[in-house]
Amino acid sequence: MRWTRSLIPTLREDPADAEAVSHKLMVRAGLVRQLAAGIYVYLPLGQRVMDRVNAVIREEMNRLGGQEITMPVLQPAEIWQQSGRWDKIGGEMFRLKDRNQRDMCLGMTHEEVIAWLAAREIRSYRDLPQIWYQIQTKERDEARPRSGVLRTREFLMKDSYTLDPDATALDVSYNAHKRAYCQIFDRCRIRYIVVDSDPGMMGGSGSHEFMAPSAAGEDEIATCAACGYAANVELARGVPAAAALPPASLSETGPREVATPNARTIAEVAAQLKVDPARTIKSLVFLVGDTPVLALVRGDHNLHERKLARALGAEARTAHPEEVVKHLEASVGSVGPVGSKGITRIIADESLKGGVYVVGANRDGFHLVGVTPGKDFTCEWADLQVALPGEGCPKCGKPLAVERVIEVGNIFKLGTRYAEMLGATYLDEQGQQKPIVMGSYGIGPARIAAAAVEQHHDADGIIWPWSIAPFHVHLVPIAVKDAAQMAATEAIERALTGAGFDVLMDDRDERAGVKFKDADLVGVPIRITIGNALAKEGVVEIRERATRAERKVPRDAVLDAVREIAKALGMA
Ligand code: ATP
Ligand code: MG
């Protein structure tokens, strides 16, 4: 491909709104452009990267026995009503009506269509197992589209679904998928960690996420270097250090009111009363629909909203200060679990079992000391707290680390829920009707591309892994008006292309410095410079993007040299 005939709009400056490295570099290298919030155009280089990522995914899915299909983006409401998700999913689903006022939606995932299809096409145990997959557009009205292509409202997903007769067979399908995913991420040169995760709105009995460490990630995982434990912080439970004992004056039990003038935050209260913040309780008011719920965590901990949702069995949102006053007749800073008005449900983090604590008194300017959870107020116990670095690993007790990650893929054991709701059954060997056991597996190709950029770049630009690079070789003739140089460049281009390499030639009449800068930015693994040394010594210069290692190679030896480097870089 020739640069002068291509759309490769590189930029010198970072886009103003970009924070993530991958966002900056993918825009600057001319891979993508944003049409509207979370809606992107893939330009030729971006498209080539996506094609290569998808090719890797397809190969591994086919190797697994997956059969590629295409399901519609536009879907009737009925199947979502049957599964129960039409009402359960909130603003994330794009909904619309057709010309006959029938409810429709844009597919944010395809479990319903799969179960619908299985209900019609699978009859007997002889039809099972099945693996169906697609690489298809998903539409989700994400609350916070951000970080370039990492979280968009329209995106490509490889989604696959397994249909099995029973849970044992599902385990086999699930584990095979897990291996295929490792293969895909390994081939794309993504560093990743497989973690236990929360099945969330998918429901089901088990799930794992594939997490690529990166500062641009929106997820956090807790890991233990000692025993290999790894879990999403949505699920991880560290063993917190014990709270310091309160001073003698505050350790006696029986709630007693003390004045805490102007102390609103945990830090202020702890400082005034001279207690460890871990001896105070953070009382947080959430609303489930219109019903207020009080959630309690230790003063030095933070609450994880997904953990709360799991404990409640429903989504909850933080109450606004006015709503707190309206429901509890107390201000946000003074809310507490003893004698709180308007609260019928209190959920406390397990770390609050045992010991005495300082809590809000539901009266401005005062706190209660000597409060024993479970005795001075009744509550349900649950795991609510965000795992913190340094807390004990739940498996081995050694300190946990917490790191930011990009979720590049996930796998779920769905079980029979969708099959039951949509009537996807089969007849077993005894002629008995049984629900099909499903699994669901997703990968975001754009997140693979962006995670690769996050993990493989330097100050000058992207360093594409060989397997997903938009081109393999970037030819830079220095003097495009020099006929001999151009002829040599074209000969190299023909030789490389003929051998199966993808070649980009920068045939612009630009200064060498400009072309080199763009080559570094775009990040093609091998750059070949055809300049003065060709006429003088009969050599061209081959440079590896990753290591910047340069070598002079006779023009006739270019193909062999490229083959050798390609092999070292992991060409399959
Ligand atoms: P997240 O927790 O990041 O919102 P998710 O759990 O909603 O992800 P799934 O519905 O399981 O994700 O989708 C499967 C895969 O699709 C994800 O692992 C991710 O790679 C990709 N993906 C999900 N949402 C987006 C998005 N908004 N933009 C780009 N890729 C996405
Ligand atoms: Mg999501």
Side-chain angles (χ1 to χ4, degrees), residues 92 140 142 151 447:
E92 210 177 327
R140 294 184 185 177
E142 297 276 358
R151 183 173 297 284
R447 285 202 188 164

Side-chain angles (χ1 to χ4, degrees), residues 140 142 149-152 155 157 407-410 442 444 447:
R140 294 184 185 177
E142 297 276 358
V149 299
L150 280 172
R151 183 173 297 284
T152 54
F155 59 97
M157 192 196 289
E407 180 199 311
V408 284
N410 57 28
R447 285 202 188 164

